[in-house]
Amino acid sequence: DAKTTQPPSMDCAEGRAANLPCNHSTISGNEYVYWYRQIHSQGPQYIIHGLKNNETNEMASLIITEDRKSSTLILPHATLRDTAVYYCIVRVGVVRGSRLTFGEGTQLTVNP
Amino acid sequence: EPEVTQTPSHQVTQMGQEVILRCVPISNHLYFYWYRQILGQKVEFLVSFYNNEISEKSEIFDDQFSVERPDGSNFTLKIRSTKLEDSAMYFCASSPGPEQFFGPGTRLTVL
């Protein structure tokens, strides 16, 4: 699986958009970008995933650059409850039953 | 909304004792996983399970670990002879497809 690079921490004001970047310059053609988050030692929570097109769901939007070497997770209106560690994970295909490899992630702090 | 549940929430045991951590995956999911997180460290994959077999395991998952799906709803992780370094949060996850859904975890403390 391709290596990812994320900033260790970010701050965001409540109600504003939180834009979390991820670099994955060695991503290969069959690898997807997944985002999970972990709120204070709770179980990780799936957010979104994508291959090359931008994706949106009820939680967030995922913007993947055209060369697929980086992506941005967007939380459109951050709330205090979005304070968490956010993990960007690159993973081969949509293989079921295969591991997730978590890195250090980005600690997002949403401030009132 | 269906959730993965885990019991107990906290388990304290003596070194050398056996522990069984229990999980109830989401009912229509077919793939099951165990991960652990030592305090202050990354979430680490232990094992995945499908069709009553281990699909993949990490180097952490040695002979002291085993997994079982004893009935149609439970998924268990057994640690035969616990060590101090097994103290961690243990997360169960299940998936219908590529995304995995995690339980709240069991905090295991080995004394």
Side-chain angles (χ1 to χ4, degrees):
Chain A
D1 294 341
K3 179 178 170 59
T4 62
T5 304
Q6 299 178 252
S9 64
M10 293 183 65
D11 285 287
C12 176
E14 188 177 19
R16 304 297 295 269
N19 297 280
L20 293 103
C22 179
N23 285 318
H24 32 79
S25 58
T26 60
I27 193 170
S28 55
N30 63 346
E31 288 181 317
Y32 284 63
V33 180
Y34 289 79
W35 283 84
Y36 283 77
R37 72 181 183 183
Q38 186 176 27
I39 299 172
H40 189 57
S41 296
Q42 296 179 22
Q45 179 186 20
Y46 166 78
I47 302 173
I48 199 166
H49 73 280
L51 179 63
K52 55 184 177 181
N53 297 319
N54 298 337
E55 302 287 344
T56 296
N57 63 20
E58 65 279 3
M59 288 184 68
S61 295
L62 173 61
I63 309 298
I64 302 174
T65 58
E66 194 168 341
D67 63 8
R68 302 208 323 121
K69 293 185 177 182
S70 65
S71 59
T72 301
L73 178 75
I74 301 172
L75 307 178
H77 305 287
T79 70
L80 299 179
R81 289 184 297 177
D82 292 320
T83 292
V85 179
Y86 286 77
Y87 300 99
C88 170
I89 299 171
V90 172
R91 187 167 169 236
V92 174
V94 286
V95 178
R96 304 172 186 184
S98 69
R99 70 178 71 189
L100 291 169
T101 301
F102 290 84
E104 303 291 346
T106 296
Q107 171 65 59
L108 174 69
T109 301
V110 180
N111 299 304
Chain B
E1 186 172 328
E3 293 180 336
V4 176
T5 59
Q6 292 186 242
T7 54
S9 58
H10 192 186
Q11 174 93 45
V12 181
T13 190
Q14 295 290 325
M15 189 171 55
Q17 295 296 305
E18 174 182 288
V19 295
I20 298 176
L21 310 183
R22 290 181 166 79
C23 168
V24 179
I26 295 172
S27 64
N28 62 343
H29 290 186
L30 300 177
Y31 299 84
F32 315 115
Y33 313 81
W34 284 100
Y35 292 79
R36 79 173 185 190
Q37 186 174 31
I38 296 170
L39 186 64
Q41 297 186 21
K42 302 177 194 177
V43 177
E44 301 174 291
F45 169 80
L46 292 177
V47 66
S48 61
F49 191 85
Y50 169 72
N51 199 25
N52 285 320
E53 288 185 346
I54 290 174
S55 304
E56 185 182 3
K57 61 182 180 180
S58 72
E59 56 282 358
I60 302 169
F61 193 88
D62 61 22
D63 291 344
Q64 71 160 344
F65 291 94
S66 62
V67 289
E68 191 178 28
R69 187 155 164 82
D71 53 42
S73 60
N74 291 287
F75 180 51
T76 62
L77 174 69
K78 181 191 291 186
I79 309 175
R80 285 191 186 80
S81 178
T82 51
K83 305 171 189 169
L84 295 176
E85 54 265 38
D86 293 328
S87 293
M89 283 288 289
Y90 287 80
F91 297 109
C92 173
S94 68
S95 68
E99 60 278 349
Q100 297 180 17
F101 297 88
F102 287 76
T106 293
R107 179 171 299 284
L108 177 65
T109 302
V110 182
L111 302 175

